[in-house]
Amino acid sequence: MRVRTLAIGMLVGGLALTACGKEGAPADDVTGGGPSTTAAVETDVKVEGSATFDRMTQNGKVVIGVKEDQPGLGYKDPTTGEYSGFDIEIARLVAAKLGFGEDKIEYKTVQSAGREAAITNGTVDYYVGTYTINDKRKTQISFAGPYFVAGQGLLVRKDDDTITGKDTLKGKKVCSVTGSTPIQRVRDEALTEPGNIVEFQGYSQCVDKLLTKEVDAVTTDDAILKGFASQDPDNLKVVGDTFSEEPYGIGLPLDDKALRDKVNDILETAIEDGTWQEIYDSTLGKSGSKADKPTIDRY
Amino acid sequence: MSNILFDAPGPRARARHRIFAVLGALVLAGIVAYVGWRFYDSGQFTGRKWEWIQYTKIQEDLISAVLSTLQAFALGAVLALLFGAIFAAGRLSEHKSIRRVSTFVVELFRAIPLLIMMFLFYYGLPAVGVSMSPYMAVVLGLMLYNGSVLAEVFRAGILALPRGQSEAAYALGMRKTQVMVLILLPQALRSMMPTIISQLVVLLKDTALGFLITYEELLRFAQRIGGDGLFSRPFVPTALVVAGIYIGLCLLLTWLANYLQKRERRSKKHIELEGGPTKDLEAAVLAGRTSGN
Amino acid sequence: MNILIDYWPLFRDGFLTTIELFLLAGVASLVFGVFLAMLRVSPVPVFRAAGTLYVTVVRNTPLTLVFLFFVFAYPYLDIIEMSFFTAAVVALSVYTSAFICEVVRSGINTVPLGQAEAARALGLTFGQSLAEIILPQALRSVVPPLVSTLIALLKNTTIAAGFSVPEAGRIRSVLSDDGENQLVGLLWVSLGFIVLVMVLTLVQRTLEKRWSVAR
């Protein structure tokens, strides 16, 4: 008897779940990116001596690690499952030049805390997601790029005038994401007391805490913060000058110099022939802010 | 059982109990109402915060998140049961060295927090060139920790069996392995069923730790949708939905186990333990060995 | 070895926070767990039902989700503002007390019937017989499982690392930020926990020995 009740219950529940299925994105979707700038897919690409490239060729697809919770940079629309943003376009471009079209790309969301592990584990072939190039990380993985230079900024509540820049953070609760450069800088430069540093797994959680007034500022790269501010302009604003340089790189396995050189070539060409600008204008540039072209750093 | 603690209430006690009952019910209702009202008041029940549940894509994601949770649970449970059986046998071995090694392994993995184990597998091992997916790290952690606990459960179950069982088996000319595999383990498994199940419930809940090492499971789903600005960050709605699913799954598992056990009982293949120590033993083992997360 | 020396303040503070978290949550969940057990054997059906409901819901919810609730949903209730540390203590206590309740209840069941009957014959009320006759005996008989539950609590404190409490589980992420070898760091953390668990096991044995004579 109980079995039947349960089975019926589940059936009804299942029906209720599927009966009112909506497709596509909500009407007031401000974050969805436009159609991607489709670069021509190269054929017969060869990268001599690259274990990663061999693996990609063998699998017939490329697995790219990205972010999914950063509007404008790397964002996955939960209603359609599609990724959009500046990082995503760069990832697509690199894949195309390596000979992998959109249908051969598998995006994999990797949060900040798991990036090094995902690259060294081979979970992803390469990683494009607000990944700041620094020397500590270079001991674990290698970077191609930079393909963009951001700077650390502050996101605060609209009605809060007490925070104007990095030197006004003392005594304020500052939130960022575990395993990210901004939180390290706050800690290293003692911008606020150690007890006031708050860490979560994702930026959206920090933003939530900002709105419930449990933290006073969210800090990370301005590019990311602008995305959040534009989602909720009535309550949030980005303040102050940026106080760091965050060169974003494409994360690759540590020993794969061949692929790194190849990706650097691809990026360099894109920056020179205007593709980079096109990508920027169609994504981050929509907010009206300008950006300087980065210079590739081959180390 | 509980009525030994108080007499059958007389008229005055009944009146008092009625007052208590009303007061208690009022307090409880008050708490629930307050929570509900606050959530309502802070806009947790507005359409916008629940809109996400209508999208086909999100429903599919939810189902696949449930499936990933179940996938980690299924493999973790099978491996943990195997691990438990092997090391329970090891701890009961006649060879001192095997006994020692098994005891060491079991005690070690029961002492290290499961989350730290998962961290070790996922973040630590790449340093020595061993790499694994979050899924494997979760499953391995679940296997080692719960397997160790289960080993203790099995051992307690085997030790509680009447000696006559193994003696009779030896008398029939069976070898040690045969006695263990054919006679002792199956009976211990049956008599320890409630404890094993409650440990499996623990295992199911522990899959949620995978969220902290980026395994894409149910809790991670809650966090992702819950943090999406598109629906003005519906943390509370997603947490409620996901909590319901977890509780449902755990109760379903418990219920399924009870059902299977009842059928087993009816088939009368099991034997009563001497002096009926099962109840106490179950209670003790249940509380002592497995109450962990 | 170097990591431990270089990052000694990190390890020290991390484990101190872990111990603090453990002690606070341990005491809170013992008190609340015993209270829940009293509810579950109370003569008033509503109380029994409330106790059972609490235990069923909490025991079947992952601790991580309990954390998620207290860190992200609780602030909307607008009661008292909690720091992340307090939230962690509350989450751990709410979770662990359900298990303590079950242990204590099974302990109450092991107290011989005659004890309760004698108490009733003497005219003690439910509250008196529970507080003065049954519970003291019940608690003694469940020392081993009680301590095991507390050991589980100790290990569970690591989850707070995901919710902005700088305890031992968090050491890894700082090492990772600095590009250090996480394997070595994590092995030290494991060792730290093994030592703490051994201490608790020792406490368990001592209490068991001392109190088992009492009955």
Side-chain angles (χ1 to χ4, degrees):
Chain A
M1 191 57 218
R2 286 179 70 184
V3 191
R4 199 180 300 157
T5 333
L6 194 84
I8 292 171
M10 282 174 72
L11 208 68
V12 171
L15 278 177
L17 199 69
T18 45
C20 53
K22 261 195 205 176
E23 301 274 356
D28 56 341
D29 183 3
V30 286
T31 47
S36 56
T37 31
T38 37
V41 179
E42 299 281 316
T43 44
D44 294 332
V45 186
K46 280 201 183 69
V47 185
E48 292 289 337
S50 164
T52 318
F53 187 77
D54 291 345
R55 184 177 63 204
M56 287 162 15
T57 331
Q58 212 167 21
N59 294 341
K61 64 169 187 187
V62 51
V63 184
I64 311 178
V66 291
K67 289 268 180 77
E68 65 180 7
D69 55 358
Q70 291 168 1
L73 282 158
Y75 177 75
K76 182 183 177 185
D77 188 332
T79 58
T80 57
E82 270 166 31
Y83 288 86
S84 63
F86 182 73
D87 284 343
I88 305 296
E89 295 304 327
I90 293 285
R92 263 183 202 140
L93 172 78
V94 171
K97 299 288 179 196
L98 287 174
F100 297 89
E102 184 64 30
D103 54 328
K104 300 229 172 70
I105 299 177
E106 185 189 326
Y107 296 103
K108 208 172 184 83
T109 304
V110 181
Q111 301 153 72
S112 292
R115 291 186 288 202
E116 289 83 13
I119 294 168
T120 43
N121 286 353
T123 318
V124 301
D125 293 320
Y126 58 88
Y127 186 92
V128 195
T130 60
Y131 204 3
T132 303
I133 303 175
N134 68 25
D135 289 342
K136 281 164 189 162
R137 284 178 182 154
K138 279 184 192 167
T139 60
Q140 288 173 287
I141 56 140
S142 70
F143 286 103
Y147 63 90
F148 187 73
V149 182
Q152 187 167 350
L154 295 168
L155 180 74
V156 299
R157 287 182 295 274
K158 189 105 186 195
D159 53 6
D160 187 348
D161 297 324
T162 54
I163 300 173
T164 51
K166 70 162 183 163
D167 300 318
T168 52
L169 287 176
K170 284 265 186 309
K172 303 279 184 186
K173 285 207 181 295
V174 180
C175 187
S176 196
V177 164
T178 309
S180 63
T181 344
I183 204 78
Q184 261 172 276
R185 181 166 298 109
V186 173
R187 198 179 284 131
D188 294 347
E189 295 183 13
L191 294 179
T192 184
E193 295 73 19
N196 279 336
I197 297 176
V198 177
E199 289 182 36
F200 285 111
Q201 301 267 314
Y203 292 110
S204 53
Q205 289 166 325
C206 280
V207 174
D208 190 64
K209 294 278 119 183
L210 182 66
L211 290 169
T212 56
K213 303 194 176 166
E214 283 168 272
V215 304
D216 303 303
V218 179
T219 182
T220 184
D221 310 340
D222 56 344
I224 302 172
L225 296 178
K226 278 176 194 157
F228 284 108
S230 69
Q231 270 192 338
D232 196 354
D234 297 335
N235 296 309
L236 299 170
K237 62 178 178 186
V238 179
V239 291
D241 296 328
T242 56
F243 47 96
S244 71
E245 280 211 338
E246 307 287 343
Y248 288 165
I250 295 181
L252 297 162
L254 184 60
D255 46 11
D256 206 330
K257 191 169 179 333
L259 187 61
R260 196 171 90 212
D261 289 339
K262 176 73 185 168
V263 174
N264 274 333
D265 291 343
I266 295 171
L267 291 175
E268 200 148 51
T269 323
I271 293 169
E272 276 163 14
D273 69 7
T275 322
W276 186 90
Q277 194 64 47
E278 248 171 65
I279 291 178
Y280 180 83
D281 292 341
S282 72
T283 52
L284 280 179
K286 276 184 183 167
S287 66
S289 52
K290 294 263 177 294
D292 298 325
K293 288 179 183 176
T295 328
I296 300 295
D297 169 30
R298 296 171 192 264
Y299 64 90
Chain B
M1 141 307 282
S2 52
N3 59 3
I4 57 140
L5 288 170
F6 44 86
D7 288 306
R12 278 177 65 190
R14 266 206 301 272
R16 206 168 52 226
H17 288 172
R18 231 172 275 137
I19 296 174
F20 283 154
V22 170
L23 282 181
L26 278 181
V27 170
L28 283 178
I31 294 174
V32 172
Y34 182 76
V35 170
W37 177 73
R38 276 308 310 167
F39 280 157
Y40 174 78
D41 194 49
S42 56
Q44 301 306 318
F45 296 133
T46 52
R48 186 157 151 79
K49 291 225 177 197
W50 287 89
E51 205 184 324
W52 55 273
I53 216 162
Q54 301 179 335
Y55 288 92
T56 324
K57 173 69 185 153
I58 295 181
Q59 290 165 3
E60 282 165 17
D61 281 1
L62 176 60
I63 289 166
S64 84
V66 174
L67 288 182
S68 331
T69 287
L70 288 179
Q71 204 182 354
F73 164 72
L75 188 57
V78 170
L79 290 177
L81 286 169
L82 273 178
F83 184 94
I86 290 169
F87 278 85
R91 287 202 66 177
L92 293 166
S93 160
E94 283 172 7
H95 303 285
K96 208 172 185 180
S97 49
I98 297 184
R99 236 167 28 227
R100 278 207 184 136
V101 170
S102 314
T103 310
F104 176 76
V105 169
V106 167
E107 292 297 328
L108 180 74
F109 289 124
R110 278 176 54 199
I112 304 176
L114 179 53
L115 182 63
I116 300 290
M117 257 193 257
M118 289 182 184
F119 278 172
L120 265 172
F121 292 133
Y122 187 61
Y123 293 118
L125 285 186
V128 289
V130 182
S131 52
M132 54 178 74
S133 63
Y135 173 64
M136 276 322 287
V138 171
V139 167
L140 269 185
L142 289 176
M143 172 188 94
L144 291 178
Y145 175 68
N146 294 287
S148 299
V149 177
L150 284 175
E152 289 298 279
V153 174
F154 290 155
R155 194 174 72 108
I158 290 171
L159 287 179
L161 287 176
R163 282 176 61 102
Q165 291 291 321
S166 53
E167 279 165 5
Y170 283 124
L172 284 175
M174 287 184 167
R175 268 166 291 132
K176 275 187 290 186
T177 331
Q178 282 177 307
V179 175
M180 184 60 75
V181 175
L182 296 178
I183 309 293
L184 298 182
L185 264 182
Q187 296 189 58
L189 218 79
R190 224 168 279 160
S191 70
M192 299 311 277
M193 207 45 167
T195 321
I196 294 170
I197 292 308
S198 73
Q199 190 58 36
L200 289 183
V201 169
V202 168
L203 195 147
L204 176 56
K205 290 192 299 172
D206 280 349
T207 56
L209 289 178
F211 149 77
L212 293 171
I213 59 165
T214 73
Y215 180 54
E216 298 280 328
E217 44 70 78
L218 195 49
L219 202 57
R220 167 83 189 120
F221 168 85
Q223 193 218 22
R224 178 163 72 84
I225 301 298
D228 203 298
L230 205 56
F231 309 107
S232 64
R233 283 179 289 281
F235 276 114
V236 176
T238 45
L240 287 177
V241 169
V242 166
I245 295 177
Y246 271 115
I247 294 172
L249 286 177
C250 290
L251 288 180
L252 200 65
L253 183 62
T254 314
W255 172 83
L256 188 74
N258 287 341
Y259 174 73
L260 287 179
Q261 209 186 6
K262 242 183 245 160
R263 247 181 37 173
E264 192 79 46
R265 284 255 160 87
R266 249 180 265 138
S267 74
K268 287 195 178 129
K269 267 188 203 149
H270 78 299
I271 54 153
E272 288 298 337
L273 297 185
E274 261 170 54
T278 5
K279 208 72 195 166
D280 284 350
L281 190 82
E282 274 167 16
V285 173
L286 174 81
R289 302 298 185 197
T290 66
S291 58
N293 161 291
Chain C
M1 197 67 203
N2 278 333
I3 282 195
L4 188 62
I5 295 169
D6 293 348
Y7 285 88
W8 175 243
L10 177 69
F11 278 90
R12 185 196 55 208
D13 295 346
F15 272 102
L16 282 181
T17 315
T18 295
I19 292 170
E20 202 181 335
L21 207 56
F22 165 70
L23 289 178
L24 288 174
V27 171
S29 43
L30 276 177
V31 172
F32 193 51
V34 169
F35 171 72
L36 281 174
M38 286 167 76
L39 281 189
R40 290 203 66 177
V41 296
S42 131
V44 184
V46 178
F47 291 173
R48 281 206 298 274
T52 314
L53 182 71
Y54 180 93
V55 170
T56 312
V57 167
V58 172
R59 286 219 324 174
N60 288 308
T61 311
L63 177 56
T64 328
L65 194 60
V66 179
F67 263 98
L68 212 64
F69 179 83
F70 278 99
V71 174
F72 289 105
Y74 173 84
Y76 290 110
L77 294 184
D78 203 17
I79 304 173
I80 312 164
E81 211 173 294
M82 292 195 292
S83 68
F84 295 117
F85 181 81
T86 323
V89 172
V90 172
L92 285 168
S93 308
V94 162
Y95 183 79
T96 313
S97 55
F99 291 90
I100 301 258
C101 165
E102 288 306 275
V103 173
V104 173
R105 208 168 61 101
S106 76
I108 291 176
N109 288 342
T110 64
V111 177
L113 272 175
Q115 297 285 331
E117 281 167 355
R120 271 162 52 197
L122 286 175
L124 298 187
T125 63
F126 169 73
Q128 283 172 322
S129 64
L130 197 60
E132 288 170 33
I133 311 288
I134 312 291
L135 271 184
Q137 298 185 53
L139 285 181
R140 276 174 199 186
S141 70
V142 291
V143 163
L146 215 53
V147 179
S148 302
T149 311
L150 291 178
I151 291 180
L153 165 66
L154 173 72
K155 292 187 286 176
N156 284 338
T157 55
T158 46
I159 296 174
F163 298 90
S164 202
V165 177
E167 43 80 47
R170 182 77 164 273
I171 292 172
R172 182 207 71 79
S173 72
V174 177
L175 292 181
S176 156
D177 285 355
D178 286 1
E180 294 287 346
N181 188 330
Q182 301 179 41
L183 182 63
V184 183
L186 280 169
L187 287 176
W188 282 115
V189 174
S190 311
L191 189 68
F193 274 102
I194 292 173
V195 170
L196 287 177
V197 169
M198 273 162 73
V199 171
L200 278 177
T201 315
L202 219 64
V203 172
Q204 181 177 31
R205 296 232 171 96
T206 322
L207 286 183
E208 204 179 349
K209 235 178 243 163
R210 185 179 300 165
W211 283 356
S212 60
V213 204
R215 266 212 4 236

